Amino acid sequence: MERITASLTVFVAVVFLTGCGPAAKQGQFERFIEAHVEKVEPLTKEANLVYWDAATTGKTEDYKRFSELQLEISRLYNNPQDFAFIKGIKESGRIKNVRLARQLDKLYYAYLPNQVPPELLEEIVGLDGSIQEKYSSFRGSIDGKKVTMSDIYNILTTEKDCRKRELAWKASKQVGNVVVDDLIKLVKLRNEAARKVGFENYHTLTIVAGRQNVKDLDRIFDELCELTTEPFTRMKNELDIILADSYGIATGDLMPWHYHDPFFQRTPLVYDQDLDLYYKDKDVRELAEKYYAGVGLPVNDILAKSDLYDREGKYPHAFSHDIDRQGDVRILCNLQNTERWMETILHELGHAIYSKYHDRNEPWLLREPAHSFTTEAIAMFFGRLSRNAAWMQEMLDLSDEERMEIEEVSRKYLRFQQVLFARWALVMYNFEKQLYADPDQDLNNLWWQLVEKYQLIKRPPGPVDAGWASKLHFTSAPCYYHNYMMGELLASQLHHRIVYKIFQLKSDRDVSYVGDKILGDYLREKVLGPGALYRWNDMIKRATGEPLTPKYFVEQFVK
Ligand SMILES: [Zn+2]
């Protein structure tokens, strides 16, 4: 660490001595970028390779080495002299070249949140780590007996006895009461750090450093709320009748523990549908490879380097990993021939092609997605195909009857899931915003006000506790949740553009996206190739003709 800081300091001192006209400023900045990338590129590649080893083997020493490298990278961005230099260049307004201006913007917002006294950063990282450790080791209990989260999910999805459900639901929330004091302390520390760099609170800083702004997000989420209130109320009333009936109670007696998921963020599987049936004799890897080749975005090189099947010690979920921004992209999965894993491999390969097809003539700093939610959008766009009846018919050779069967249930389920997720994201977004604005307010009541308002779920009788704090995202991915929803909105906006403007169709009913090279060409040119060259909303305007809007999500899933 010392070595890197010292050499960068010397470098900055040298560039400050040379001239001050626009050309000189640009030259200084170009040399700064060159020196910066020379340090950060090999470190990033090494960290990515070590993380890949850690995830595929589960070895503690790999995870440890990865944290060390991460710390080394974060220290690069903590350097106050470098930041002063970047800030000076930014404030001079002299960088007119589009590529340099974008790199300046990216560097500025990478350094900014790190300009905090190292002791404060360490305290934040330490507290964050200790809360996560408490999370992992805590087990809730039912009648004094310890239970795991899978026990709880089993009860919530199958148990008919309401008292057992209530106890299981409460067990899922117990960890919230254990960590809530530390979490509020962490929120205050994060706010203190944000104020050190000139922001009113950490929520605002995170949004701004992610190059979004609170006003735009408020507008998008208000619109989403307005457009989903009526359909959500209708779908939820239907669901309530089915659920109340299954427990033999009145709909008025439904409580939060009757909804199959601790936070009601997933639709209860009350509509029978076994899509796995169609995938069990197929090979989802082969299907994905064939599909992507068909749209002109071949993934055989990605799959060859990937780690696709279950193994002892291996990371149990899935992710896509850009190792070097030079085409070495890999995915990790634990494939089985089921609908869920069909969706997952399509989703992860969506992330992977985004990385693979960044234009390699662009500078290293711009060979990234425009925003984390834009790569989520591409992944969701392709992931949604696994239960699309037209896609399934073509890829799995299904009959017209089979297709119709799937269509009926799948559409209803997909719509409900999307609208439900939007309402849940409204709770998360609004709660977190208010949590950071005033961490001393009555948060437990605030939580239930929002749940009642957006999810139409009744609060349990009696005083409410800090069950909300059992949502790990408040600790491990703060102020990020809205990006999942933005990804869904963009996936629908791209879908609309392609169907109605590029394919020039009147309806998306028969769109399977199978074998459509035009789809691949469009995405490469407008989304994948430019990488981070344009700010996310400029990229979206160029790709779809308008800024991000909830309109098309609503058109696809709500109307
Ligand atoms: Zn994803």
Side-chain angles (χ1 to χ4, degrees):
M1 174 245 170
E2 291 305 322
R3 182 183 50 81
I4 290 164
T5 314
S7 58
L8 272 184
T9 311
V10 169
F11 163 76
V12 171
V14 172
V15 293
F16 270 129
L17 294 174
T18 56
C20 56
K25 274 266 186 295
Q26 184 164 316
Q28 285 171 17
F29 183 53
E30 281 171 327
R31 269 166 285 156
F32 177 89
I33 293 176
E34 208 179 302
H36 174 79
V37 172
E38 224 166 79
K39 305 238 158 39
V40 84
E41 182 176 5
L43 265 179
T44 307
K45 183 176 173 181
E46 195 187 343
N48 286 338
L49 285 167
V50 170
Y51 184 72
W52 180 257
D53 288 344
T56 50
T57 64
K59 281 189 190 146
T60 317
E61 63 259 36
D62 289 333
Y63 277 111
K64 210 175 140 246
R65 176 83 187 114
F66 175 65
S67 324
E68 286 163 11
L69 285 163
Q70 249 188 327
L71 202 61
E72 206 175 321
I73 294 169
S74 76
R75 279 170 185 155
L76 272 179
Y77 289 96
N78 182 241
N79 183 315
Q81 289 90 348
D82 280 4
F83 183 62
F85 172 76
I86 293 168
K87 197 167 176 239
I89 294 273
K90 187 176 157 68
E91 282 164 3
S92 78
R94 292 261 171 77
I95 302 295
K96 302 293 180 206
N97 174 293
V98 182
R99 280 180 178 78
L100 286 177
R102 263 303 280 159
Q103 292 177 86
L104 177 59
D105 192 63
K106 287 197 65 121
L107 283 171
Y108 180 81
Y109 286 100
Y111 274 85
L112 176 70
N114 287 300
Q115 300 309 302
V116 170
E119 314 83 65
L120 182 54
L121 274 185
E122 263 165 50
E123 204 181 340
I124 290 174
V125 173
L127 189 54
D128 181 342
S130 85
I131 298 176
Q132 293 206 44
E133 223 179 296
K134 276 187 196 168
Y135 260 107
S136 329
S137 52
F138 182 87
R139 295 285 175 273
S141 50
I142 297 180
D143 286 334
K145 210 178 132 233
K146 297 249 180 264
V147 286
T148 65
M149 272 317 281
S150 347
D151 297 334
I152 291 171
Y153 278 112
N154 272 336
I155 296 172
L156 289 181
T157 46
T158 58
E159 182 57 58
K160 296 290 174 212
D161 181 314
C162 295
R163 187 181 165 268
K164 284 185 187 156
R165 300 189 64 87
E166 179 177 350
L167 292 176
W169 181 82
K170 286 185 172 160
S172 78
K173 308 283 175 174
Q174 285 160 355
V175 66
N177 296 305
V178 174
V179 300
V180 70
D181 291 342
D182 279 350
L183 178 54
I184 289 171
K185 197 171 153 202
L186 179 61
V187 166
K188 289 179 179 173
L189 286 174
R190 284 170 175 164
N191 275 349
E192 190 186 330
R195 281 191 289 268
K196 291 251 190 285
V197 292
F199 286 82
E200 51 187 332
N201 64 53
Y202 181 77
H203 183 262
T204 315
L205 165 67
T206 311
I207 305 280
V208 172
R211 310 307 285 122
Q212 295 170 332
N213 76 63
V214 178
K215 250 198 210 143
D216 282 347
L217 292 185
D218 284 350
R219 185 181 46 75
I220 288 173
F221 277 89
D222 285 349
E223 207 179 326
L224 197 60
C225 174
E226 206 175 293
L227 292 165
T228 53
T229 299
E230 189 277 323
F232 178 68
T233 310
R234 188 167 24 86
M235 291 179 196
K236 163 115 182 343
N237 286 341
E238 273 177 38
L239 173 71
D240 279 359
I241 294 169
I242 298 175
L243 286 179
D245 193 48
S246 76
Y247 306 124
I249 59 176
T251 51
D253 294 331
L254 286 168
M255 284 290 147
W257 44 85
H258 289 121
Y259 288 88
H260 292 215
D261 179 277
F263 288 101
F264 189 33
Q265 65 177 93
R266 264 175 248 285
T267 325
L269 291 168
V270 288
Y271 317 112
D272 286 325
Q273 179 187 31
D274 187 8
L275 291 182
D276 287 351
L277 197 76
Y278 302 101
Y279 288 102
K280 73 177 192 331
D281 299 322
K282 308 280 176 186
D283 179 339
V284 295
R285 176 201 192 276
E286 235 169 66
L287 286 168
E289 184 167 5
K290 188 172 142 203
Y291 173 70
Y292 276 100
V295 292
L297 301 167
V299 293
N300 47 334
D301 52 340
I302 297 170
L303 290 170
K305 289 183 165 175
S306 294
D307 192 314
L308 297 173
Y309 298 98
D310 201 10
R311 203 173 46 247
E312 183 72 30
K314 182 180 157 181
Y315 179 78
H317 307 291
F319 62 82
S320 165
H321 202 43
D322 185 356
I323 300 284
D324 61 0
R325 307 190 190 184
Q326 302 267 15
D328 183 352
V329 187
R330 312 166 183 189
I331 63 167
L332 180 145
C333 285
N334 289 278
L335 294 180
Q336 284 169 15
N337 295 321
T338 62
E339 189 271 333
R340 198 193 125 209
W341 281 107
M342 185 77 250
E343 186 204 343
T344 305
I345 188 171
L346 288 169
H347 179 106
E348 298 311 335
L349 285 171
H351 286 300
I353 51 142
Y354 203 146
S355 303
K356 174 181 165 181
Y357 290 107
H358 290 325
D359 182 346
R360 284 182 222 155
N361 295 314
E362 293 295 344
W364 188 84
L365 285 169
L366 301 184
R367 266 178 264 145
E368 272 193 308
H371 195 281
S372 53
F373 89 80
T374 63
T375 178
E376 216 49 69
I378 295 297
M380 287 162 170
F381 178 92
F382 288 107
R384 285 173 182 178
L385 295 172
S386 68
R387 50 181 61 188
N388 171 313
W391 188 89
M392 287 176 73
Q393 181 176 32
E394 282 197 54
M395 294 302 294
L396 308 172
D397 286 323
L398 305 182
S399 67
D400 288 346
E401 290 89 65
E402 285 174 309
R403 172 179 162 166
M404 265 164 57
E405 257 173 46
I406 297 167
E407 217 157 38
E408 237 167 75
V409 193
S410 167
R411 183 164 300 174
K412 184 168 178 179
Y413 180 71
L414 187 64
R415 286 173 140 220
F416 196 177
Q417 179 56 41
Q418 295 284 0
V419 174
L420 179 75
F421 187 77
R423 304 301 290 190
W424 161 242
L426 277 161
V427 173
M428 287 295 284
Y429 175 68
N430 285 294
F431 182 79
E432 226 171 0
K433 188 176 149 195
Q434 296 184 51
L435 166 68
Y436 284 93
D438 178 11
D440 287 318
Q441 64 182 305
D442 182 350
L443 295 164
N444 301 350
N445 261 307
L446 172 66
W447 176 261
W448 282 103
Q449 277 164 20
L450 295 171
V451 168
E452 286 174 328
K453 176 176 175 187
Y454 295 119
Q455 293 185 293
L456 308 176
I457 298 244
K458 254 191 250 150
R459 69 173 74 197
V464 285
D465 64 9
W468 57 269
S470 66
K471 192 78 195 154
L472 184 62
H473 289 75
F474 291 126
T475 304
S476 63
C479 313
Y480 185 82
Y481 217 83
H482 61 279
N483 285 314
Y484 298 120
M485 193 64 234
M486 310 263 286
E488 298 283 6
L489 302 185
L490 179 55
S492 291
Q493 190 163 334
L494 289 167
H495 171 74
H496 177 93
R497 178 74 181 183
I498 297 161
V499 172
Y500 298 96
K501 293 282 146 66
I502 296 175
F503 294 169
Q504 305 213 330
L505 297 171
K506 296 252 179 298
S507 149
D508 66 355
R509 219 190 140 74
D510 294 314
V511 174
S512 67
Y513 288 124
V514 175
D516 279 318
K517 289 252 182 345
I518 301 171
L519 169 67
D521 291 345
Y522 165 77
L523 290 178
R524 277 182 80 157
E525 185 196 332
K526 299 291 189 187
V527 184
L528 321 181
L533 176 59
Y534 307 106
R535 272 176 63 174
W536 62 267
N537 226 355
D538 294 332
M539 181 280 281
I540 294 172
K541 259 184 259 170
R542 295 172 59 92
T544 69
E546 58 193 319
L548 185 70
T549 159
K551 183 157 82 182
Y552 302 112
F553 173 82
V554 170
E555 180 185 286
Q556 193 175 0
F557 298 114
V558 182
K559 290 216 166 113

